[in-house]
Amino acid sequence: MSRRISYLLGLVLLIALHLGLYSHTFTAKGELDKKARVNYVLPAEFSRVAALDFQGLAADFQLLQGIFFIGDKIDRQEKITALDWDYFTRIIKAVIKLDPYFYDTYHFSTGMLTWGSGRFQDAIDILKYGRQFNPDDFRFPYHIGFIYFYFLHDAQKGAQYFEIASKIPGAPPILASLASRLAYYKGNYTFAINLLQRMLSAERSPEIRQYYQKRLTALQGALLIEKAVQKFKIDFLRLPDSIQELIDKKILETLPQDPYGGEYILLESGRIYSTSKFANAPQKKTTAGSTADVGE
Amino acid sequence: MWPLISVTFLEGVRSRILYGIFLFAIFVVFLSIIFANFFMQDLGKVAVDFNLSAISFAGLLISASLSVNLIAKDLDKRTIYFVLSRPITRVQYVWGKYLGLLTVFLFAYLLLTGISCLVLVYLKSEYVNYFGSFNWLAYLQAVYFDFIKIMVLNSIIIFFGVITTSSFVNLLFTVSTYVVGQSISDVIHFISTGRGQESLAPATAQLITVIKYIVPNFEAFDFKVISAHGMLVSASEFGYFTLYGIVYSVIVLCLAAMIFKKKELL
């Protein structure tokens, strides 16, 4: 009897030891992996062959690797360096070669490479590659048009792609008239808000939703103030001296908060911008050609 | 030949290995419910990838365990003498074993496809907006072509099975043929590019061209990626790929039967 009890006791002790060791190795290995991250992506030419007839599954796992890599950094609000974005871009370019029809790859990478890192040309290249395989999907020319128009300030190319998108069955009817109205929308936050709302409605990951929601709130705040500036201009036939004047004259009830921690500022043109440049402080320095371009 | 087919079928379905493989495949199929949640829009595509891969991998595992041992076991346990003492020719033996194996695979594929369909029905009802490109016909199309792939692979296993008495050597030859067959179209594509022509000696390129007619093009039966996106092949392509699989298998089995006819059984 006592032998059985000591046997059970020993087993319980061993299980407790196992649990302790497991949680230690789990965290310790995670930290070690982070320090020694190789950031190497298997070239698609190789992974295509190595995946044998499981290319679709290989693409899923590789995209998951990219989502977790960037998602984890966003979640922890860590600095995303240029090298990190290089690594992420390489993953995406490998995934689209494994499965060029997989829309999640384009959806996620376009959002991250434009709003997140300002790598507009990479985003366009990825979308153009996807368009070759998905010619009946309006979302590809639509997103390319948006990047040209909104981020690269090329209204002509933007209009060209919106027109292509509008002719594809299933495209929203608004696209048909959008191409001709691009000049009006130039630099208008409404346009970006519409796109962000579309992306948000299609997004399922809570971390990425939060990421888009933050930007959406910031742009909605800027738009609210801009609309108040327009009203002020109609009422007083001049631009306000400061945003505070909008509140003083009761045109704006309260000043919206910039979720990035900056302060909204009134530009000479009457446009509204923020001292945060609509970007998280740690990312601001590292993202070349960052989203500071947005409101220009 | 019918008794041989039914005996092979019964021997196959009674195998414990088969049920182990079933459990593994069913586990992967159910794993798709968890993994699909990590993605944003094409949840249907991810679910189909998992389910098709589980079925395909199960097919490969059954081939590597059950099929490879089939003839080797008969030779090893001397049961082949008992079979051949009956009014069954050696040619009938080869075909009977092969067709018996196919019935085992048919049973396995029907069972796994049925279970995976249940999982997909559940996922589709749960995430109805994220199954936009999903198409049942396309799904069944991929399973069908995977079965054709297994049909070809098993004819090769039978072929190597009559040449060698060792199941391990048979496995090595079969795996090599599968890997080469799966990647041959990529290699051919590489050769056709400028970079490939520069880096490969002309003799090597010619050798690969010869190999492409000998080794089956397994990639021709891989419709998993396009089926996951709901795309269907045309009727003519469907017929062409099926015919290619059947013709290749028949040739290999005829060769296997010819070799087995002349083989000295000690």
Side-chain angles (χ1 to χ4, degrees):
Chain A
M1 189 69 179
S2 62
R3 205 171 165 187
R4 185 179 284 180
I5 290 170
S6 50
Y7 178 78
L8 280 172
L9 211 69
L11 195 67
V12 169
L13 279 172
L14 277 174
I15 291 169
L17 185 67
H18 159 73
L19 291 174
L21 284 171
Y22 174 77
S23 24
H24 174 74
T25 47
F26 191 78
T27 43
K29 185 69 171 64
E31 290 304 315
L32 275 173
D33 284 347
K34 252 189 209 168
K35 278 182 203 165
R37 196 187 286 278
V38 181
N39 286 3
Y40 180 73
V41 182
L42 281 176
E45 289 78 9
F46 176 77
S47 51
R48 253 183 71 85
V49 178
L52 297 172
D53 60 336
F54 301 99
Q55 285 174 19
L57 201 64
D60 297 346
F61 278 111
Q62 214 156 2
L63 177 63
L64 216 54
Q65 188 189 351
I67 292 174
F68 285 158
F69 175 70
I70 287 293
D72 184 52
K73 287 194 175 280
I74 290 172
D75 198 31
R76 290 166 186 254
Q77 300 210 328
E78 272 179 23
K79 183 173 167 180
I80 306 177
T81 63
L83 284 175
D84 291 337
W85 285 117
D86 283 346
Y87 174 56
F88 176 72
T89 311
R90 283 202 305 276
I91 291 179
I92 298 301
K93 287 185 176 172
V95 176
I96 58 174
K97 282 188 181 162
L98 279 174
D99 185 352
Y101 306 103
F102 191 13
Y103 185 71
D104 273 31
T105 321
Y106 304 103
H107 171 82
F108 184 72
S109 63
T110 306
M112 288 296 118
L113 291 173
T114 52
W115 299 104
S117 70
R119 298 193 169 211
F120 310 123
Q121 199 49 54
D122 277 335
I124 289 172
D125 289 346
I126 288 165
L127 285 167
K128 279 185 177 172
Y129 182 81
R131 210 180 137 227
Q132 294 170 37
F133 296 89
N134 303 275
D136 299 329
D137 194 332
F138 79 90
R139 292 173 295 186
F140 289 87
Y142 172 67
H143 282 290
I144 297 171
F146 181 81
I147 296 168
Y148 272 123
F149 168 71
Y150 193 76
F151 292 111
L152 299 173
H153 310 297
D154 189 339
Q156 198 186 346
K157 272 197 176 161
Q160 189 188 328
Y161 277 99
F162 281 136
E163 202 184 336
I164 294 168
S166 70
K167 286 175 184 164
I168 295 171
I174 193 172
L175 279 182
S177 61
L178 203 59
S180 57
R181 289 190 288 143
L182 277 194
Y184 168 77
Y185 280 120
K186 196 170 187 306
N188 194 318
Y189 290 124
T190 315
F191 197 61
I193 287 169
N194 284 341
L195 185 95
L196 276 170
Q197 278 170 337
R198 275 182 68 88
M199 290 173 85
L200 201 60
S201 68
E203 187 56 62
R204 293 178 67 252
S205 156
E207 290 82 16
I208 308 299
R209 277 187 71 85
Q210 203 181 358
Y211 179 79
Y212 286 147
Q213 185 61 57
K214 196 173 181 180
R215 189 165 293 274
L216 182 64
T217 311
L219 296 189
Q220 279 171 333
L223 182 67
L224 186 76
I225 306 171
E226 270 195 3
K227 281 183 176 170
V229 171
Q230 293 305 316
K231 193 170 183 306
F232 185 97
K233 204 174 161 186
I234 293 166
D235 292 350
F236 298 97
L237 299 171
R238 67 172 177 88
L239 284 174
D241 295 329
S242 65
I243 295 175
Q244 187 57 40
E245 201 180 350
L246 296 169
I247 296 167
D248 296 342
K249 295 274 190 318
K250 308 274 186 221
I251 290 177
L252 203 60
E253 280 180 22
T254 50
L255 194 63
Q257 293 289 311
D258 175 7
Y260 290 101
E263 275 182 33
Y264 286 112
I265 46 170
L266 176 67
L267 303 177
E268 280 181 14
S269 59
R271 299 296 314 275
I272 297 298
Y273 201 44
S274 173
T275 51
S276 71
K277 296 182 179 177
F278 302 137
N280 282 324
Q283 294 179 22
K284 204 164 55 182
K285 288 176 190 168
T286 59
T287 54
S290 79
T291 47
D293 297 338
V294 169
E296 283 170 6
Chain B
M1 200 159 71
W2 284 111
L4 194 62
I5 295 172
S6 62
V7 165
T8 310
F9 172 73
L10 289 173
E11 194 186 337
V13 293
R14 279 180 194 150
S15 163
R16 285 183 189 170
I17 297 170
L18 190 71
Y19 293 99
I21 294 167
F22 275 169
L23 284 178
F24 165 75
I26 291 165
F27 169 73
V28 177
V29 164
F30 279 94
L31 210 63
S32 67
I33 299 175
I34 300 165
F35 264 86
N37 276 293
F38 289 129
F39 293 87
M40 293 145 277
Q41 300 215 338
D42 275 350
L43 262 63
K45 180 262 174 203
V46 176
V48 169
D49 275 343
F50 262 83
N51 283 274
L52 287 178
S53 298
I55 296 170
S56 183
F57 197 56
L60 292 176
L61 286 179
I62 297 170
S63 303
S65 54
L66 206 74
S67 313
V68 159
N69 286 311
L70 200 75
I71 292 179
K73 205 164 70 180
D74 267 4
L75 290 169
D76 198 38
K77 290 187 175 174
R78 316 260 171 192
T79 45
I80 195 160
Y81 299 112
F82 173 72
V83 178
L84 294 177
S85 65
R86 302 264 167 158
I88 291 172
T89 64
R90 289 189 180 200
V91 174
Q92 282 174 330
Y93 173 81
V94 168
W95 280 95
K97 281 280 172 189
Y98 176 71
L99 294 173
L101 262 182
L102 285 194
T103 54
V104 176
F105 279 100
L106 194 65
F107 166 72
Y109 269 58
L110 284 176
L111 187 76
L112 290 174
T113 308
I115 294 168
S116 72
C117 284
L118 289 177
V119 170
L120 287 172
V121 166
Y122 164 73
L123 277 169
K124 198 167 180 273
S125 63
E126 196 78 359
Y127 306 105
V128 68
N129 295 330
Y130 301 100
F131 269 69
S133 58
F134 180 77
N135 182 331
W136 283 110
L137 269 181
Y139 183 70
L140 296 176
Q141 162 191 273
V143 176
Y144 169 80
F145 278 114
D146 205 74
F147 185 77
I148 301 282
K149 177 193 82 182
I150 286 298
M151 205 174 90
V152 176
L153 189 68
N154 276 274
S155 69
I156 290 163
I157 291 173
I158 296 279
F159 177 78
F160 288 130
V162 300
I163 290 176
T164 169
T165 48
S166 159
S167 54
F168 180 70
V169 176
N170 185 352
L171 181 69
L172 279 183
F173 284 158
T174 307
V175 169
S176 310
T177 312
Y178 170 69
V179 172
V180 174
Q182 195 65 52
S183 48
I184 192 81
S185 61
D186 281 318
V187 176
I188 300 289
H189 175 72
F190 176 71
I191 293 171
S192 66
T193 61
R195 215 175 102 206
Q197 278 164 354
E198 279 170 23
S199 57
L200 277 182
T204 315
Q206 273 174 351
L207 182 72
I208 291 167
T209 315
V210 173
I211 287 174
K212 90 171 174 186
Y213 290 107
I214 298 170
V215 173
N217 179 12
F218 281 119
E219 214 210 343
F221 309 117
D222 180 17
F223 287 86
K224 285 193 273 302
V225 169
I226 70 155
S227 298
H229 295 282
M231 289 182 250
L232 289 164
V233 294
S234 66
S236 62
E237 282 171 331
F238 190 90
Y240 178 79
F241 288 118
T242 305
L243 198 64
Y244 170 64
I246 293 171
V247 168
Y248 189 92
S249 304
V250 170
I251 292 171
V252 172
L253 284 167
C254 286
L255 288 172
M258 276 167 64
I259 294 168
F260 194 59
K261 224 171 153 182
K262 308 242 171 192
K263 192 177 174 84
E264 271 189 49
L265 298 170
L266 299 169

